[in-house]
Amino acid sequence: IVSRLRRRLMQPVYRSAAYRVALGRVSAGEFLVAADAPPFAIAWPADRKQGLALLAGEFRFAGENIREPRPFSRPSGASPAWRESLNRFDWLNDLRAAGAPGAHAAAVELTRRWIAENPRYDEAVWRSDVLAARLRNLLLNGPYLINGAEPGFPALLVGSLYRQAAHLARALGDGLYGAALLKAVIALMLAGLMLPRGERLLVAGRRLFTREVSRQLLADGGHVERSPQAMLELLTHLVDLREVFTAARRPHPDNLQLAIENLASAVLMLCH
């Protein structure tokens, strides 16, 4: 209740011009994890048919199909659920998995359009759980996006990601708890590992990660929410985090590997 009240009270601050300036900016357009590192996000199952539909201009989210949405992130008639699905950028993995000619160009163009349409804070678009999902998807697909993209796009992407990560670091307590909070902390750590000037993001993320892992992962390996779906999602996020730590040649958090092993055992027990 307190964190949700804080989120409501902070909305005027987040929307202010001064806050936008306070988020800072980075001019470097390179990820700190090399572009030839393993393609982390694509290792998980993705919907190729959905990716082909996106390539054809069909955006099917939350039971709705909107063709060639304009403006891209908030077309007229779209439901809040449709907008949330689009702004999470989970679809980026489907588009990448399509593997069809034009998929990379479409992914770059749609990302560019989203950045152009969302230069400043919006309560629904920058909500912490939505922002964390978008940050993770764009970071893990970042080397794929900038590979072969036209000059100027890498700096645009990295600058936008840094500002989003800076806001996430300040707004993590805004109504998030449980698995959603831990996934947001993982997204913050990914940003700290992959973005220029990300060290303070990584330090803040590591501190919260240690706290939340000890709070949320139980002695039997399961998660406090007792949700198989939440456990599987957390497991994939933790594995991605481990791989990025390895690619960045940084020491892993002490409890990361143990958390992966315990969650994997709990998920395996629930498989039939």
Side-chain angles (χ1 to χ4, degrees):
I1 292 174
V2 171
S3 64
R4 289 180 178 179
L5 179 60
R6 178 182 180 274
R7 182 173 190 268
R8 183 179 297 274
L9 292 174
M10 288 296 293
Q11 292 308 304
V13 176
Y14 294 155
R15 287 192 293 264
S16 68
Y19 183 76
R20 184 185 178 196
V21 173
L23 290 178
R25 60 187 298 271
V26 293
S27 58
E30 297 183 359
F31 289 96
L32 300 184
V33 174
D36 59 354
F40 313 109
I42 204 62
W44 302 113
D47 190 337
R48 185 173 183 272
K49 290 183 178 179
Q50 172 79 341
L52 292 172
L54 291 168
L55 197 55
E58 303 286 342
F59 288 74
R60 304 168 183 168
F61 305 132
E64 300 175 58
N65 183 19
I66 298 180
R67 181 167 181 80
E68 298 290 351
R70 293 186 183 279
F72 176 56
S73 57
R74 43 177 74 83
S76 60
S79 69
W82 188 96
R83 286 188 59 194
E84 178 179 329
S85 296
L86 184 138
N87 285 301
R88 290 175 62 89
F89 270 69
D90 293 331
W91 51 268
L92 188 58
N93 296 319
D94 298 332
L95 186 57
R96 183 177 176 182
H104 176 265
V108 171
E109 178 58 24
L110 293 174
T111 302
R112 185 194 300 277
R113 285 173 58 188
W114 187 94
I115 294 173
E117 292 173 11
N118 296 276
R120 48 180 64 89
Y121 178 85
D122 176 273
E123 183 174 359
V125 177
W126 289 55
R127 197 180 75 202
S128 293
D129 57 331
V130 176
L131 170 55
R134 179 171 64 251
L135 192 62
R136 173 179 179 267
N137 284 315
L138 284 171
L139 284 167
L140 294 180
N141 287 289
Y144 163 76
L145 287 170
I146 67 174
N147 185 24
E150 63 185 57
F153 177 73
L156 179 71
L157 176 61
V158 170
S160 175
L161 290 174
Y162 181 83
R163 290 160 52 79
Q164 293 180 63
H167 173 72
L168 182 63
R170 300 177 186 188
L172 264 179
D174 292 357
L176 291 188
Y177 57 91
L181 175 57
L182 184 52
K183 287 189 285 188
V185 170
I186 291 172
L188 184 63
M189 295 175 73
L190 292 174
L193 289 165
M194 298 185 69
L195 295 178
R197 289 172 44 196
E199 189 62 33
R200 67 181 184 85
L201 303 175
L202 180 59
V203 170
R206 290 185 79 129
R207 182 178 66 253
L208 292 169
F209 181 80
T210 300
R211 185 192 73 186
E212 291 304 316
V213 166
S214 64
R215 284 181 177 181
Q216 296 190 34
L217 298 188
L218 305 175
D220 62 3
H223 184 259
V224 68
E225 293 179 18
R226 291 302 189 188
S227 163
Q229 179 178 346
M231 287 193 287
L232 180 59
E233 290 177 356
L234 276 175
L235 179 60
T236 61
H237 286 232
L238 289 168
V239 170
D240 283 337
L241 180 63
R242 181 185 63 186
E243 296 305 304
V244 175
F245 262 108
T246 300
R249 296 180 173 86
R250 302 291 294 269
H252 298 180
D254 294 338
N255 49 356
L256 176 56
Q257 184 59 33
L258 181 60
I260 290 173
E261 293 173 358
N262 289 345
L263 263 180
S265 297
V267 171
L268 182 62
M269 181 181 66
L270 293 169
C271 292
H272 295 279

